[in-house]
């Protein structure tokens, strides 16, 4: 019976991943996410329902548009599979930890927002305020239900994180990171609190440094002039900090 539940959760998660793809494409452009049919980015033909089945349609069409045969971005199935996997993992996590049902739902919204930020910043160099706000709004009831006594501390850590990144933004004149990174850092600080925020930012900066070095060695980036989106690394750090922060700190100590 558990397998059946996981399968259902997987399908639901994939559906949310399909909607997240809409957000990733439309939010950076300022388009409505509820009005207007999905179109092929190349031939602009309206897509039929059979072309929009999460995960299945991509592989059924061999990764190409049904009408103009242009390659469909690989990001679409990756997001759908990722969303489905996150939903399934949180379902199992809630069973093993006996969490109230609402908490995994709130965590799902938060992690899905990070997934959206990962790809919007990677593809468009933009961190939509809507996704950052979704993290904060979902984190408030999550904290109230799980650790209400620490809510003021989380709020303070959020402010400090925001000011820290704002200082970096001012010192680098916006070259080291964007305003979206500053707002996202504040949301992450509020979400993680202390001491998880230490690991969250540590993982973010460490992974960004490693990837930057690899890209430079591969001649994909230069030391000057080019920039690397920091939102994806902040997103990775936030999720790692939430689930592994205390364990990693214990290893250090």
């Amino acid at each position: 019976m558990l397998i059946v539940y996981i399968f259902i959760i997987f399908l639901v998660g994939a559906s949310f991943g399909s909607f997240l793809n809409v957000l990733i494409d439309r939010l950076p452009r300022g388009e409505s996410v509820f009005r207007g049919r999905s179109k092929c980015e190349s031939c602009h033909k309206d897509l039929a329902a059979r072309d929009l089945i999460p995960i299945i349609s991509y592989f059924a069409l061999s990764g190409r548009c049904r009408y103009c045969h242009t390659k469909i971005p690989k990001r679409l199935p990756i997001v759908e599979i990722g969303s489905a996997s996150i939903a399934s993992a949180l379902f199992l996590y809630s069973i093993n930890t006996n969490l109230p049902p609402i908490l995994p739902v709130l965590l799902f919204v938060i992690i899905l927002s990070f997934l959206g930020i990962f790809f919007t910043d990677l593809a468009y160099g933009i961190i939509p305020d809507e996704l950052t706000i979704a993290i904060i709004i979902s984190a408030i009831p999550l904290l109230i239900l799980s650790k209400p006594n620490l809510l003021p501390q989380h709020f303070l850590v959020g402010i400090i994180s925001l000011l820290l990144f704002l200082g970096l933004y001012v010192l680098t004149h916006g070259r080291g990171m964007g305003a979206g990174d500053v707002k996202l850092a504040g949301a992450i600080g509020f979400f993680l609190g202390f001491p998880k925020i230490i690991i969250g930012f540590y993982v973010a900066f460490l992974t960004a440094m490693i990837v930057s070095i690899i890209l430079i060695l591969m001649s994909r980036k230069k030391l000057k002039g080019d920039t690397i989106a920091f939102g994806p690394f902040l997103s990775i750090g936030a999720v790692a900090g939430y689930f592994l922060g205390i364990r990693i700190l214990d290893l250090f100590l």
Side-chain angles (χ1 to χ4, degrees):
M1 197 63 181
L2 180 62
I3 299 297
V4 175
Y5 287 141
I6 294 175
F7 180 70
I8 294 173
I9 294 294
F10 187 89
L11 294 179
V12 172
S15 299
F16 276 97
S18 181
F19 178 67
L20 182 61
N21 274 321
V22 174
L23 298 181
I24 292 170
D25 280 331
R26 296 189 183 185
L27 287 179
R29 301 172 186 170
E31 299 175 355
S32 172
V33 298
F34 298 108
R35 284 184 286 180
R37 295 184 58 181
S38 296
K39 301 176 182 288
C40 170
E41 294 292 330
S42 182
C43 64
H44 303 291
K45 188 172 181 63
D46 289 342
L47 301 179
R50 60 179 176 170
D51 302 321
L52 300 172
I53 303 173
I55 303 174
I56 295 175
S57 290
Y58 178 85
F59 293 102
L61 294 170
S62 299
R64 292 182 178 273
C65 172
R66 183 187 301 277
Y67 310 101
C68 67
H69 306 294
T70 301
K71 285 186 178 181
I72 300 171
K74 293 180 181 178
R75 181 252 303 163
L76 271 67
I78 291 175
V79 170
E80 291 168 354
I81 294 172
S83 176
S85 301
I86 291 167
S88 303
L90 285 174
F91 174 69
L92 293 174
Y93 176 72
S94 65
I95 292 176
N96 292 331
T97 55
N98 294 316
L99 290 176
I102 186 62
L103 295 188
V105 173
L106 293 169
L107 274 175
F108 178 68
V109 174
I110 291 171
I111 297 175
L112 213 62
S113 298
F114 282 125
L115 184 64
I117 288 170
F118 184 102
F119 284 101
T120 51
D121 200 16
L122 202 61
Y124 300 102
I126 294 173
I127 298 177
D129 289 339
E130 292 87 345
L131 294 178
T132 301
I133 292 171
I135 293 170
I136 297 172
I137 291 176
S138 301
I140 292 172
L142 179 71
L143 293 171
I144 291 174
L145 292 172
S146 59
K147 38 189 175 182
N149 58 313
L150 293 180
L151 189 60
Q153 183 247 71
H154 278 253
F155 180 76
L156 180 60
V157 173
I159 295 296
I160 293 173
S161 301
L162 178 72
L163 294 176
L164 174 65
F165 273 68
L166 180 61
L168 292 174
Y169 176 79
V170 172
L171 287 173
T172 60
H173 302 286
R175 295 170 187 161
M177 60 186 63
D181 297 312
V182 176
K183 289 177 277 189
L184 178 59
I188 292 173
F190 178 66
F191 170 54
L192 294 183
F194 183 84
K196 290 182 177 180
I197 189 61
I198 297 174
I199 296 301
F201 286 160
Y202 174 78
V203 171
F205 280 101
L206 179 64
T207 52
M209 181 184 68
I210 292 172
V211 171
S212 298
I213 291 172
I214 292 173
L215 290 175
I216 290 170
L217 292 176
M218 292 173 62
S219 300
R220 294 287 296 276
K221 293 286 182 182
K222 301 175 183 178
L223 286 174
K224 293 183 179 181
D226 287 342
T227 58
I228 296 175
F230 196 43
F233 303 108
L234 283 172
S235 300
I236 292 171
V239 176
Y242 184 83
F243 289 102
L244 302 174
I246 300 301
R247 293 182 182 180
I248 295 175
L249 278 173
D250 287 342
L251 287 175
F252 276 124
L253 296 175

